[in-house]
Amino acid sequence: MVNLPMHITIVTPGFAANEADTTCIPYLQDYVRSLSRAIGGEHIDIVALHYPYTKTPYQWHHISVHPMNGQNIKWPRKYFFLSRVTQQIKKVSMQNNTILHAFWLNDACLTALPVARKRQIPMLTTAMGQDVLSKNIFLSVLPVSKMHIAVFNAHMRKEFISHHPCDNMHIIPLAVDVPAFQPVERDIDILFAGSFTKGKRPALFVQACIDIMRAYPGIKCVMAGDGPLLDQTQKAIDAQGNHILCTGKVERSVLLQLMQRSKVLMHTSEYEGSATVIEEAVSCGMHVFCFDVGRNENQNIHICNTLFEMTTAVSQFLQKSADHTPRPSARLEETTQMYIDLYQHILAIQKGNL
């Protein structure tokens, strides 16, 4: 196998604008910090395509970030933008034992791939939830059958290979970094956490809470997050008597504090590849009630087939004493080592050692 040091160039649509920015792709922030602890921040460069909105390089926890300020630019100007991105990726990928790691199967991957091919740099792409669906337009132009692709669980792998074969698909569980905390009173019964978008179905959460509160009027429900459906959701709550609190957008540290005070995460999303919020919830000692979406295996995750089944299960759960011991499905240090092992494996293949 290839010996350290190795150099990892991460290509991503966006990254934290500074060390205080905790809401931009929390999973990726957790992973990069963990990777830095393992191989050293000087061996990592991050090329952020669209966010933050600046072209000035900066340091993030002693890691070099190169923002390209794409702001989701459109054609034909996008041609010149992608050319500039390609040059930046080349510039920060000159070291020996470099790996290109794209997050996700989108323009980050599409931009990094030509550099990998031309420079013969090994490349890995991690797919996020929506990436594995057949409607992902990038799948029609990416040579996915020959790429190394990491997914979070067997659910994502099954969905992906149902329409696109891939010879080198790797499962590395999603893990998050939740700081240790002192047990506090769990005074929130049901929590919604995430974006107020069509796919997350916040209206379904509101309906479920109203149904539960009819039988158990003392239930406390909170919705944390922001998005295009927030105002519409708030109006629906007001029309029913305003018994659900909407916090709006909150920093990740505040969200984790809410989770540590909550008993149940009721996750009404219609599809997830592997939701970060689910893993954060079980890591904070919550029980998760969701539909059959992608997730890690965990005894605190309860699968429901219908909304009625979900409201019934949550109602019954809240009427009894429950164990709220934090139960992370995977340890961040372990999954980081899995990625490092995979980097070394891909490097060894590139060098003809396997």
Side-chain angles (χ1 to χ4, degrees):
M1 301 298 281
V2 178
N3 295 322
L4 295 174
M6 62 175 66
H7 185 87
I8 311 300
T9 298
I10 290 174
V11 185
T12 173
F15 196 71
N18 49 56
E19 293 181 7
D21 179 0
T22 62
T23 59
C24 182
I25 319 181
Y27 159 75
L28 183 55
Q29 292 189 40
D30 286 353
Y31 173 66
V32 170
R33 275 196 302 267
S34 181
L35 182 63
S36 176
R37 289 192 291 268
I39 70 171
E42 69 273 18
H43 299 299
I44 305 170
D45 278 279
I46 299 172
V47 179
L49 272 60
H50 302 293
Y51 178 86
Y53 303 144
T54 178
K55 295 180 182 178
T56 304
Y58 59 96
Q59 291 288 304
W60 183 86
H61 295 287
H62 308 292
I63 297 165
S64 295
V65 182
H66 311 272
M68 306 307 296
N69 195 30
Q71 299 190 39
N72 297 302
I73 193 170
K74 305 297 182 183
W75 297 98
R77 292 174 58 219
K78 190 168 187 175
Y79 173 83
F80 301 99
F81 166 72
L82 293 178
S83 177
R84 182 162 56 86
V85 172
T86 298
Q87 293 304 313
Q88 183 62 56
I89 295 172
K90 290 178 181 178
K91 183 178 178 181
V92 298
S93 303
M94 303 294 289
Q95 299 87 340
N96 290 330
N97 295 339
T98 290
I99 290 275
L100 284 177
H101 191 167
F103 293 82
W104 321 88
L105 281 167
N106 53 19
D107 53 353
C109 178
L110 191 65
T111 308
L113 191 61
V115 180
R117 285 178 162 179
K118 187 172 182 179
R119 296 290 183 90
Q120 294 189 318
I121 301 172
M123 179 171 164
L124 171 67
T125 301
T126 294
M128 69 179 296
Q130 301 290 326
D131 287 352
V132 302
L133 299 178
S134 59
K135 65 182 181 181
N136 180 0
I137 60 173
F138 290 96
L139 298 183
S140 64
V141 294
L142 291 169
V144 292
S145 64
K146 300 185 182 302
M147 292 168 53
H148 285 275
I149 299 174
V151 294
F152 295 129
N153 52 58
H155 185 277
M156 290 180 69
R157 183 182 184 278
K158 181 180 178 181
E159 174 65 34
F160 190 92
I161 64 176
S162 70
H163 50 78
H164 279 83
C166 180
D167 296 332
N168 298 292
M169 184 160 281
H170 315 272
I171 296 177
I172 299 181
L174 185 150
V176 294
D177 185 13
V178 173
F181 61 94
Q182 294 296 320
V184 296
E185 179 188 359
R186 293 192 180 264
D187 59 330
I188 299 171
D189 294 294
I190 307 173
L191 180 69
F192 171 100
S195 300
F196 283 67
T197 59
K198 182 179 179 180
K200 302 300 182 183
R201 303 197 288 191
L204 209 59
F205 177 90
V206 172
Q207 179 185 335
C209 287
I210 291 170
D211 289 344
I212 294 171
M213 286 189 286
R214 286 195 181 103
Y216 305 100
I219 295 295
K220 181 176 181 180
C221 304
V222 174
M223 302 183 76
D226 197 3
L229 296 182
L230 176 58
D231 289 344
Q232 178 181 324
T233 304
Q234 185 64 66
K235 289 178 181 177
I237 292 170
D238 293 342
Q240 294 292 332
N242 197 26
H243 296 305
I244 303 171
L245 172 65
C246 285
T247 67
K249 182 179 180 179
V250 295
E251 293 295 325
R252 190 187 185 199
S253 59
V254 176
L255 176 61
L256 294 177
Q257 290 171 7
L258 288 172
M259 288 182 169
Q260 290 156 14
R261 293 171 48 200
S262 301
K263 300 171 185 174
V264 166
L265 178 76
M266 192 161 61
H267 193 66
T268 51
S269 179
E270 63 179 327
Y271 175 83
E272 294 286 358
S274 188
T276 302
V277 69
I278 291 178
E279 189 59 28
E280 288 174 330
V282 294
S283 297
C284 288
M286 297 180 70
H287 284 250
V288 177
F289 291 79
C290 62
F291 298 112
D292 189 14
V293 297
R295 74 260 175 208
N296 295 334
E297 293 300 318
N298 192 296
Q299 68 186 72
N300 282 12
I301 299 176
H302 312 276
I303 307 304
C304 306
N305 296 311
T306 64
L307 184 64
F308 176 77
E309 186 178 318
M310 182 178 289
T311 56
T312 301
V314 170
S315 297
Q316 292 175 348
F317 175 85
L318 291 174
Q319 301 313 305
K320 59 186 180 181
S321 178
D323 180 9
H324 289 286
T325 302
R327 298 187 190 281
S329 308
R331 300 289 179 182
L332 186 58
E333 295 77 10
E334 295 172 358
T335 57
T336 300
Q337 187 58 51
M338 293 173 70
Y339 269 117
I340 292 173
D341 292 344
L342 183 54
Y343 293 153
Q344 292 182 317
H345 176 74
I346 296 172
L347 275 168
I349 293 174
Q350 186 80 9
K351 292 176 179 290
N353 295 331
L354 285 180

